[in-house]
Amino acid sequence: MIERIGALVVAALAWAGEVGLFGLRALREALRPPFEAKELLRQLYDIGSRSAPLIAVAGFSVGIVMSMHSRSSLERFGAEALIPSVLALSLAREIAPLVAGLLVSGRVGAGIGAELGGMRVTEQIDALESLAVDSFKYLVVTRVLACMIAQPILTTFMSFTGIVGGFVAETVISDLSFRLYFDRAFSSMQFVDYVPASLKTVVFGFIIGTVSSYLGYNAAGGAEGVGKASTKSVVYSSILLILANVVLVKMIIFFFPEEIG
Amino acid sequence: MSANEAVIRFEEVSKSFGSKRILQDVSFDIARGSAFCILGRSGTGKSVTLKLMIGLLKPEQGRIFVEDQEITALHARELPPVRKTMGFLFQNAALFDSLSVGENVAFPLRRHTNKPEADIKDRAREKLAQVGLEHEYDMMPADLSGGMRKRAGLARALALNPSILLVDEPSAGLDPMTSAEIDSLLLNLKSERDTTLVVVTHNIPSARRIGDELVVMHEGHFIAHGTAKELDQSDHPVVREFMKSEGGG
Ligand SMILES: Nc1ncnc2c1ncn2[C@@H]1O[C@H](COP(=O)(O)OP(=O)(O)OP(=O)(O)O)[C@@H](O)[C@H]1O
Ligand SMILES: [Mg+2]
């Protein structure tokens, strides 16, 4: 039993190592010309802009729900005035990075896994190579970079829509102005609440882009293989993202102890 | 540049997948401006041989030269310049399904030339017209028939006016008339541009028309290598079977 678990752990680590090397190669190749700027922009649009509606709806709903929860707890202490800043802080530090990360690994991870997997099994990746194009730079580097750039932007967007959602939930009960609500929301927000969390989301983007590109780029076995690559992209990038979150939060608290206080 | 100069050379090349031997110590030369036809039963390794020539697959043993460059010794980064001189038609055409037919043909031109937009589109249309697809520029690959996809793939392979053209079953899925048109297109490239052709085909009449040299692959070896006339004289049963057949495809 222990042996089998040991073997599983070793296999998982070997896999993670291989994916990690794949991701590092993408970062290294990103620095070497030619830069696929046009393709990068296309991916940014596809991964970033086209995820925005999903992120907005999710942020808005989460904002409403969180606002209602904080009201029910804070009311007991007569601290309703703190609702906006409690909401803003929890969104910026944790909720938006994690929820946006999981949503993007669903939408984008599945998409990249399926797209690259489909290109692999129909020999379109070989066709790129035959046309003297470096398929790794053209397909993988652009997607990994696009995910890393898009993720912090999408997360910020989610925090913002979350605060708007919170405001909408509050207007039903109180007649706070939007202006005042926003002032309160940001009054206690500091550098350490926003910047480390945003850097964390760059890592999330890296994980999503790398895992799904790896699985798609190395897909095999026809339509079934493509399906598997797509599903695995979502599952593995979500799990890795959740695990990485634990480590990253620990690191943030270590390097920015003021965040706890 | 002598007439017999080898453009592609295999030196004792062996290739296998797992325990399955595809090529075993195969050596041959392909002369500049000639047409080399590869025949053989399904699954004998014709497509694999073609992919070895452009470095999409690597042999376990042996050396492969293209234009005096040993591509088996090149780093992946050094392959693109060699590949720019080659055109490759995949057996399944392998069109980019996110791009229109015309943009598929324009793709290599956009990547590797600095031509203005209008010239690129003109050249792409010209190449499509050569394969009889002048009206299909804006169609998506998914909306084409198998034979049309094949021809679009050929147009893309021709976009950069390659000096070496590797085609995997160009006439598969085509009617006899279209198939004959493709043959004459290939013959024209050879006579007018001195293009070296490597053609995998099941179509013996077509191989007779285009091929200067024919080889028959069987169980990891070239069991016959020569002109169509020479192959007709072969006493190897598999070769005789092949040369007798008039089968299309
Ligand atoms: N990437 C690969 N991995 C493993 N085996 C492969 C791979 N590519 C080809 N093969 C095997 O190599 C053998 C030769 O394949 P190839 O595609 O060259 O055949 P072919 O002669 O072109 O056949 P056909 O006329 O049907 O196209 C087949 O048995 C195939 O299963
Ligand atoms: Mg084949």
Side-chain angles (χ1 to χ4, degrees), chain B residues 55-82:
Chain B
L56 285 174
L57 292 173
K58 288 220 177 249
E60 287 86 53
Q61 272 171 43
R63 308 197 293 170
I64 298 170
F65 296 83
V66 174
E67 301 273 12
D68 292 333
Q69 289 246 53
E70 187 187 344
I71 60 163
T72 36
L74 291 183
H75 188 274
R77 237 173 260 166
E78 300 166 310
L79 279 170
V82 183

Side-chain angles (χ1 to χ4, degrees), chain A residues 41-212:
Chain A
L41 283 179
R42 212 171 67 83
Q43 290 307 323
L44 267 176
Y45 172 74
D46 218 43
I47 291 167
S49 309
R50 295 181 60 185
S51 299
L54 172 68
I55 294 290
V57 173
F60 189 74
S61 320
V62 168
I64 291 177
V65 172
M66 280 179 57
S67 176
M68 296 194 296
H69 278 301
S70 13
R71 171 163 279 277
S72 72
S73 343
L74 292 173
E75 240 173 6
R76 289 182 221 162
F77 309 105
E80 293 97 327
L82 289 178
I83 294 175
S85 62
V86 166
L87 177 66
L89 281 182
S90 28
L91 274 171
R93 278 184 186 175
E94 193 51 56
I95 306 294
L98 194 62
V99 174
L102 291 175
L103 287 176
V104 172
S105 40
R107 195 191 92 82
V108 173
I112 294 179
E115 190 188 8
L116 295 191
M119 289 186 74
R120 170 60 76 195
V121 305
T122 56
E123 297 186 307
Q124 292 176 54
I125 295 185
D126 285 333
L128 274 176
E129 290 286 334
S130 80
L131 294 169
V133 174
D134 182 339
S135 63
F136 187 84
K137 292 199 71 163
Y138 187 76
L139 299 173
V140 176
V141 173
T142 51
R143 281 170 177 75
V144 172
L145 283 185
C147 285
M148 291 170 72
I149 297 169
Q151 201 59 34
I153 300 172
L154 288 171
T155 305
T156 307
F157 184 52
M158 179 169 231
S159 298
F160 177 79
T161 53
I163 292 169
V164 173
F167 170 74
V168 170
E170 278 297 282
T171 45
V172 179
I173 300 157
S174 68
D175 50 3
L176 214 54
S177 78
F178 189 65
R179 182 73 207 277
L180 186 58
Y181 189 90
F182 249 67
D183 282 350
R184 285 196 187 161
F186 288 105
S187 60
S188 53
M189 180 86 80
Q190 286 169 1
F191 169 85
V192 292
D193 298 312
Y194 179 70
V195 174
S198 292
L199 290 178
K200 182 171 88 174
T201 64
V202 175
V203 178
F204 289 176
F206 175 74
I207 290 174
I208 298 167
T210 301
V211 169
S212 52

